[in-house]
Amino acid sequence: MTLHRLAAAIALTLTGATPALAHSAERGFVLLLPTGFVMVGGALVVLMTFAVVSVLPEQLFHQVADTHQPIAPVPAWLAPAISLMSAGVLGLLIWVGLTGPRDPLANLLPLTIWSLWWVVIVLLHSVFGNLWAALNPFTGPYALFRRLSHRPRAPLLHFPDRLAYVPALLIFAAFAWFQLVFPGPEDPTKLAFVVATYAVLTLAAVCLFGPAAWLGKADPFAIFLAQLGAAAPLTASSRRGLALHLPGAGLLALPPLPLAGTLFVLLTLSCIAFDGFANTYLWLASAGVNPLEFPGRTAMMGVNSLGLAGAFVLLSLSYATTVSLGWLWAGRPSALSRLLGHFVYTLIPISIAFHFAHYLSGTLVNLQYLALALNDPFRGGANLLGLGDADVTTSFQNTAAGALALFTAQTSAIISGHVIAIAVAHAIALRLGLARTATLKLEAPFAAFMVLYTAFGLWLLAVPAIS
């Protein structure tokens, strides 16, 4: 009788079990590695990079900046057509979100938004340049609207220059809160409502202010992806084919950002960093939560909202303090606001590295779910891709070799991002035309900040966490 009860209890437990965290086993293997050596080694690599770039000929960095010529990944004549297709796909995805399966792992909308778009497409920008200039679903409908209505090219309203980047800062903050704090960002219905609201408001703003003004100064995703695209080593065009540049070289051609633009870049990096930190045992314990009995997002909304805001404030203060110290030590060589708005571009390669490292494991699993959802979008027995009864596998995360491969890719990305950031910072500092000693004084505090941030990023990969 006891065995029957035990069997019934086990069956009931398995039936009501929730899906396991995709890379929990991987995290377990990583905890067995000598990660302290990895953190120290990564920090030393970044420190050595600072020492090396400091003695390289200055002309080398000037040549890199002068010879870099950004190339549009998509021809201008083709961009409106691609945008119209993107608009159609977005409308279809919203419809699927409202009418398709309720399971987020079977519905195309959350899988496309959170895995394909926010991870894969975002990271492709760091390789091929600003693809979103053509992929965005707003410029094509705007061009069609203007042609059908016979409206002049001039926008209906002028976007105030003093408000540049302010809408982007506010919209991205709301997006980050929805993604990282809100209890149901993957719920198809809720996500469909949010995406539809954003799409309608953005299209209206583009029609009012024009695509150049709104997408260039106010839309957070167009701005963020353009900044990532500027750091890309590979660009392409139909006329010139592929062109290879040093990673991050395109950032040198960007003008200094105003205060709101500087804060925007800091916000994008602080959000991804907090996303990793919010899952650690350290953060949960500080909030009075037992990591082994995680109560869910709803119970953590208040503390995570404060944590998200605190991460932004902490990173902003750290960045401003670091740059200000170098500026003072070097003898105040230029306007501090200009220096802050220029040096912040060095954080773009780090943002790319964090994006890759943080989402790698989960995306490798979710892309499999995406393929199955495409194969049978409404769970009606369709077999559009011929996948049949294929299953999602996470076995590559459950072995020491697989976990080591993932951890190696993640740590390599973090270290490489900071190395590129150091080189970009040196190139920016050289543009001030200072003596070598003054240049080193200007960069030294920032280099120390980079070393510490490298160690922090590697620590996030290795520390015990719930996911």
Side-chain angles (χ1 to χ4, degrees):
M1 190 68 172
T2 303
L3 291 176
H4 288 296
R5 290 181 178 178
L6 179 60
I10 294 175
L12 181 61
T13 301
L14 293 176
T15 302
T18 57
L21 296 169
H23 55 284
S24 55
E26 172 214 344
R27 179 75 69 166
F29 280 114
V30 169
L31 291 174
L32 300 176
L33 298 174
T35 53
F37 292 108
V38 176
M39 286 182 270
V40 173
L44 288 176
V45 168
V46 175
L47 181 60
M48 290 175 61
T49 301
F50 171 66
V52 170
V53 299
S54 299
V55 298
L56 287 175
E58 295 184 7
Q59 188 60 31
L60 177 63
F61 292 90
H62 293 309
Q63 289 176 351
V64 169
D66 295 338
T67 58
H68 182 274
Q69 296 180 355
I71 302 173
V74 178
W77 61 267
L78 187 59
I82 296 176
S83 176
L84 282 172
M85 287 189 289
S86 294
V89 170
L90 180 60
L92 180 62
L93 287 172
I94 293 173
W95 178 63
V96 172
L98 294 172
T99 63
R102 296 299 88 202
D103 183 359
L105 293 178
N107 192 290
L108 281 174
L109 179 64
L111 289 169
T112 301
I113 294 297
W114 297 125
S115 296
L116 181 61
W117 177 70
W118 188 236
V119 180
V120 177
I121 291 179
V122 165
L123 290 175
L124 285 177
H125 281 70
S126 65
V127 179
F128 295 103
N130 187 14
L131 300 170
W132 192 244
L135 286 175
N136 81 80
F138 308 112
T139 52
Y142 169 76
L144 182 62
F145 161 76
R146 188 170 52 80
R147 173 167 296 187
L148 294 177
S149 62
H150 304 288
R151 287 192 170 274
R153 290 182 175 272
L156 296 175
L157 297 175
H158 172 71
F159 185 81
D161 291 336
R162 66 180 182 278
L163 294 181
Y165 298 96
V166 173
L169 186 64
L170 298 177
I171 296 171
F172 195 89
F175 165 78
W177 184 88
F178 175 74
Q179 182 197 14
L180 307 180
V181 178
F182 184 72
E186 296 179 345
D187 179 86
T189 303
K190 296 173 182 176
L191 183 59
F193 173 77
V194 170
V195 172
T197 302
Y198 162 75
V200 170
L201 294 178
T202 301
L203 183 57
V206 168
C207 291
L208 287 174
F209 298 105
W214 187 261
L215 298 180
K217 299 179 181 179
D219 180 68
F221 307 112
I223 294 171
F224 178 62
L225 293 173
Q227 291 173 343
L228 265 59
L234 186 65
T235 53
S237 71
S238 59
R239 293 183 296 103
R240 299 180 57 181
L242 296 178
L244 186 63
H245 311 285
L246 289 176
L251 297 170
L252 303 177
L254 300 180
L257 289 168
L259 176 60
T262 301
L263 293 175
F264 172 78
V265 175
L266 292 164
L267 178 64
T268 58
L269 179 56
S270 67
C271 288
I272 189 66
F274 176 74
D275 191 17
F277 183 69
N279 292 323
T280 64
Y281 284 15
L282 177 62
W283 172 253
L284 294 173
S286 65
V289 173
N290 183 351
L292 302 179
E293 297 178 357
F294 182 63
R297 279 196 171 198
T298 302
M300 296 289 294
M301 284 183 66
V303 67
N304 279 350
S305 296
L306 292 175
L308 185 63
F312 170 58
V313 172
L314 180 61
L315 179 61
S316 299
L317 290 176
S318 300
Y319 170 76
T321 301
T322 300
V323 176
S324 298
L325 286 175
W327 175 72
L328 290 171
W329 195 14
R332 304 181 181 184
S334 68
L336 179 60
S337 60
R338 184 177 179 85
L339 199 62
L340 288 168
H342 218 160
F343 259 91
V344 77
Y345 288 125
T346 63
L347 302 183
I348 300 296
I350 300 174
S351 183
I352 294 171
F354 270 64
H355 210 87
F356 173 84
H358 180 70
Y359 290 112
L360 176 61
S361 298
T363 301
L364 290 175
V365 175
N366 286 339
L367 288 179
Q368 299 176 62
Y369 282 109
L370 176 61
L372 294 179
L374 286 169
N375 189 58
D376 187 9
F378 294 96
R379 286 191 169 181
N383 191 22
L384 302 179
L385 302 181
L387 297 178
D389 298 325
D391 295 320
V392 172
T393 178
T394 61
S395 59
F396 60 92
Q397 297 177 338
N398 298 333
T399 64
L404 180 60
L406 290 172
F407 184 68
T408 301
Q410 292 168 318
T411 54
S412 298
I414 293 292
I415 295 171
S416 299
H418 286 81
V419 166
I420 295 171
I422 286 288
V424 172
H426 185 65
I428 292 175
L430 290 177
R431 289 190 160 196
L432 297 177
L434 304 177
R436 181 177 293 272
T437 302
T439 300
L440 292 178
K441 290 180 178 180
L442 179 67
E443 293 180 72
F446 194 70
F449 170 74
M450 290 289 185
V451 170
L452 294 176
Y453 210 80
T454 303
F456 169 72
L458 297 175
W459 174 82
L460 276 182
L461 296 176
V463 70
I466 61 172
S467 64

